Amino acid sequence: MPTHPLRIRALLAAGVASGAAAALPAPAMDLRQAYDAATVQDATVRAARANAEAGRERLPQALAQQRPQLSLSAGRNYNDLSTRSIDNFGQNRRWDNDYYSGNQTLSLRQPLLRPALGAQVQQARAQVEESDAQLEQNEQALVRRVGEAYFDALLARDQVGLLQVQKANHLLQLDAARKSFAAGAGARTDIDEVQSRLDMTLAQELEAAQHVDFTRHRLEVLTGQSAARLAAVDMPRFVPTPPEPQRLDDWIARAEAASPELQALRAQAEAARLEVRKAQAGHLPTLDAVAQVSRSQSDSVYNVNSRNMQKTIGLQLNIPLYSGGAVSSQVRQALASEERARESLEAARRDLGVRVHQEFRGMTEGVLRVRALEQAVRSAQQALLSNQKSLQAGARSTLDVLQAEQQHITALRDLTQARYRYLLAQLQLQSLAGQDRSANVGQVNAWLESGG
């Protein structure tokens, strides 16, 4: 007896839930929990945090170059002196003398005029900003990566459920076809058609089950937690809406202003501009204030057993005259790097506009696609019911019913994919626009069932 559409829906619900290991008492993990776990577990984000910490140290290092430099040096030596000479009587004479010598020097240097240091401090600030923006970029990317892994796992689970529904239908139809053939009312071709579809479904189920394992493992690697049970989309509450604001230009402007990727590249371009100033400062003089206190004992063979104390203070001027063309080469190199940074920023800005456009369309068209596919599912369900009744009346064949069932399952699969694609587009569009990560995840997580 062919399966009634109401039974198909019941089997579908059971099949979708089969991958969730309902016997386990532990609650299902939702998107919020997956993201929170990934922020702690993900090695890429942890590396980005460490990189940001390292980048922040550039500023205190640059500021230290403008502050006084104080150093102390000390030494103590043992000297064994042998002296030979000819005295007034023409005789060779030798004197042996051994003694200790030593020195201690305390030096203070304060840069007064070093144009490169000012540019270096500003450059360090730009590099710190770049490091922080890169960290934000990696953390925003984590939102997208967790979302992709989570919804891929849900989709794989749902596809297994659909195939299990299809397999159950084929088994019932195969049993009915065999009974009908044994009673002399059916045809052998009905059995062969159903068996062929059943074999194909079994092969697809094996492949889909492997994909379930892969997607779960991918999510588990990100979160460090079991992904055996995942909260599904709450279909009664899920009502996709267009993005707000509804103008693409507004989203592109928002992304260009808040995108951490562009912020990092802007800071990189500023650092490259300041590198040009640093290189050009190689042509300029520098001026330092220098103070020194030195104490020495037996500092030469002529002053054995003597002690000296010297104090000096003054200015030290350094005027570069010629360095073999190195400074000019460094300036040209810095200018080329600045041009590269500007063009990289422009390329990223254009690419960002393309990606925002793609995700914006993913939401706007996703609303229409979900509605259209919901209607397609209803139509396919009605067509399946009509074919089943026509088969009972003898007006349709088993092949017609199989094709109607396939169309119904295909429509359900496409609807499931469209829903997840819409949710992922919402997640990614908000990330590209630089929205708060927690709020972004919370908006999408609100569509999921509580407690799995």
Side-chain angles (χ1 to χ4, degrees), residues 168-202:
N169 289 338
H170 292 339
L171 287 171
L172 290 173
Q173 290 170 347
L174 182 61
D175 182 64
R178 286 172 175 170
K179 289 179 179 178
S180 179
F181 180 72
R188 178 66 192 183
T189 55
D190 291 341
I191 298 177
D192 294 339
E193 287 287 353
V194 177
Q195 184 65 55
S196 175
R197 297 296 180 95
L198 176 61
D199 293 340
M200 180 60 70
T201 301
L202 290 173

Side-chain angles (χ1 to χ4, degrees), residues 5-19:
L6 294 178
R7 177 167 174 76
I8 289 179
R9 298 181 67 179
L11 287 171
L12 175 59
V16 169
S18 65

Side-chain angles (χ1 to χ4, degrees), residues 46-284:
R46 293 205 306 266
R49 290 175 184 147
N51 182 67
E53 287 294 330
R56 294 184 188 113
E57 296 302 321
R58 291 192 178 99
L59 182 56
Q61 291 171 13
L63 290 171
Q65 299 299 314
Q66 294 181 324
R67 295 168 182 159
Q69 308 295 311
L70 186 64
S71 63
L72 174 66
S73 63
R76 183 169 175 79
N77 305 296
Y78 172 74
N79 302 274
D80 186 357
L81 176 63
S82 294
T83 305
R84 295 186 181 210
S85 64
I86 300 177
D87 61 14
N88 295 331
F89 302 99
Q91 300 295 321
N92 289 325
R93 300 292 301 273
R94 174 177 174 175
W95 293 271
D96 293 322
N97 191 10
D98 57 276
Y99 63 95
Y100 287 93
S101 65
N103 61 82
Q104 301 86 38
T105 303
L106 180 65
S107 299
L108 175 66
R109 179 180 294 271
Q110 171 63 60
L112 298 179
L113 178 62
R114 289 198 185 182
L117 292 184
Q120 183 174 337
V121 170
Q122 296 180 48
Q123 185 183 50
R125 289 195 174 96
Q127 289 170 336
V128 170
E129 183 181 348
E130 178 187 355
S131 298
D132 290 340
Q134 287 176 343
L135 173 58
E136 179 65 21
Q137 181 182 351
N138 277 278
E139 291 186 334
Q140 289 285 12
L142 181 64
V143 174
R144 299 194 294 272
R145 289 193 288 127
V146 171
E148 288 175 355
Y150 189 91
F151 290 121
D152 281 350
L154 282 184
L155 179 59
R157 188 181 75 179
D158 290 352
Q159 288 177 334
V160 169
L162 290 171
L163 289 170
Q164 289 175 346
V165 170
Q166 200 168 17
K167 179 178 70 173
N169 289 338
H170 292 339
L171 287 171
L172 290 173
Q173 290 170 347
L174 182 61
D175 182 64
R178 286 172 175 170
K179 289 179 179 178
S180 179
F181 180 72
R188 178 66 192 183
T189 55
D190 291 341
I191 298 177
D192 294 339
E193 287 287 353
V194 177
Q195 184 65 55
S196 175
R197 297 296 180 95
L198 176 61
D199 293 340
M200 180 60 70
T201 301
L202 290 173
Q204 292 174 344
E205 185 184 15
L206 289 174
E207 181 180 0
Q210 293 176 350
H211 191 58
V212 167
D213 290 339
F214 169 76
T215 54
R216 282 180 180 173
H217 179 68
R218 177 186 174 192
L219 185 58
E220 287 170 352
V221 168
L222 278 173
T223 62
Q225 297 183 7
S226 172
R229 300 192 66 215
L230 299 176
V233 176
D234 191 347
M235 297 305 177
R237 291 193 300 112
F238 178 69
V239 181
T241 57
E244 184 61 39
Q246 298 186 14
R247 293 179 65 253
L248 173 61
D249 290 343
D250 293 338
W251 281 99
I252 292 178
R254 180 183 296 183
E256 290 182 355
S259 168
E261 179 183 2
L262 293 190
Q263 289 175 358
L265 289 172
R266 290 188 188 103
Q268 193 176 103
E270 177 65 10
R273 184 186 69 81
L274 292 166
E275 184 65 27
V276 175
R277 284 183 53 187
K278 282 175 56 180
Q280 291 172 338
H283 293 294
L284 303 177

Side-chain angles (χ1 to χ4, degrees), residues 199-380:
D199 293 340
M200 180 60 70
T201 301
L202 290 173
Q204 292 174 344
E205 185 184 15
L206 289 174
E207 181 180 0
Q210 293 176 350
H211 191 58
V212 167
D213 290 339
F214 169 76
T215 54
R216 282 180 180 173
H217 179 68
R218 177 186 174 192
L219 185 58
E220 287 170 352
V221 168
L222 278 173
T223 62
Q225 297 183 7
S226 172
R229 300 192 66 215
L230 299 176
V233 176
D234 191 347
M235 297 305 177
R237 291 193 300 112
F238 178 69
V239 181
T241 57
E244 184 61 39
Q246 298 186 14
R247 293 179 65 253
L248 173 61
D249 290 343
D250 293 338
W251 281 99
I252 292 178
R254 180 183 296 183
E256 290 182 355
S259 168
E261 179 183 2
L262 293 190
Q263 289 175 358
L265 289 172
R266 290 188 188 103
Q268 193 176 103
E270 177 65 10
R273 184 186 69 81
L274 292 166
E275 184 65 27
V276 175
R277 284 183 53 187
K278 282 175 56 180
Q280 291 172 338
H283 293 294
L284 303 177
T286 61
L287 180 65
D288 296 343
V290 180
Q292 181 173 289
V293 177
S294 62
R295 183 175 62 183
S296 62
Q297 177 184 1
S298 302
D299 58 345
S300 73
V301 296
Y302 305 106
N303 296 301
V304 176
N305 297 324
S306 66
R307 295 176 181 272
N308 300 299
M309 175 72 75
Q310 182 179 11
K311 300 177 182 179
T312 61
I313 186 170
L315 299 176
Q316 188 174 85
L317 178 66
N318 180 39
I319 302 177
L321 298 178
Y322 181 66
S323 60
V327 174
S328 298
S329 176
Q330 291 168 358
V331 171
R332 292 193 300 269
Q333 182 183 37
L335 287 170
S337 297
E338 182 187 13
E339 179 67 17
R340 180 191 62 188
R342 285 200 305 266
E343 294 301 331
S344 296
L345 173 60
E346 178 61 21
R349 188 189 66 80
R350 295 178 183 180
D351 180 66
L352 178 64
V354 172
R355 285 181 287 156
V356 169
H357 189 189
Q358 179 182 358
E359 302 306 334
F360 181 84
R361 290 186 58 185
M363 285 191 69
T364 54
E365 295 178 5
V367 173
L368 302 177
R369 181 169 174 78
V370 167
R371 292 173 184 170
L373 286 171
E374 286 174 345
Q375 180 59 43
V377 168
R378 290 191 289 267
S379 299

Side-chain angles (χ1 to χ4, degrees), residues 398-437:
T398 300
L399 179 60
D400 295 327
V401 175
L402 289 173
Q403 290 176 341
E405 286 180 347
Q406 184 62 49
Q407 290 176 352
H408 186 214
I409 293 296
T410 300
L412 285 170
R413 182 200 63 197
D414 291 346
L415 175 58
T416 301
Q417 289 178 335
R419 285 167 172 162
Y420 293 147
R421 178 67 188 91
Y422 171 86
L423 290 172
L424 190 57
Q426 178 181 343
L427 201 65
Q428 292 179 337
L429 182 62
Q430 300 284 7
S431 288
L432 290 173
Q435 178 168 329
D436 178 74
R437 300 186 302 276

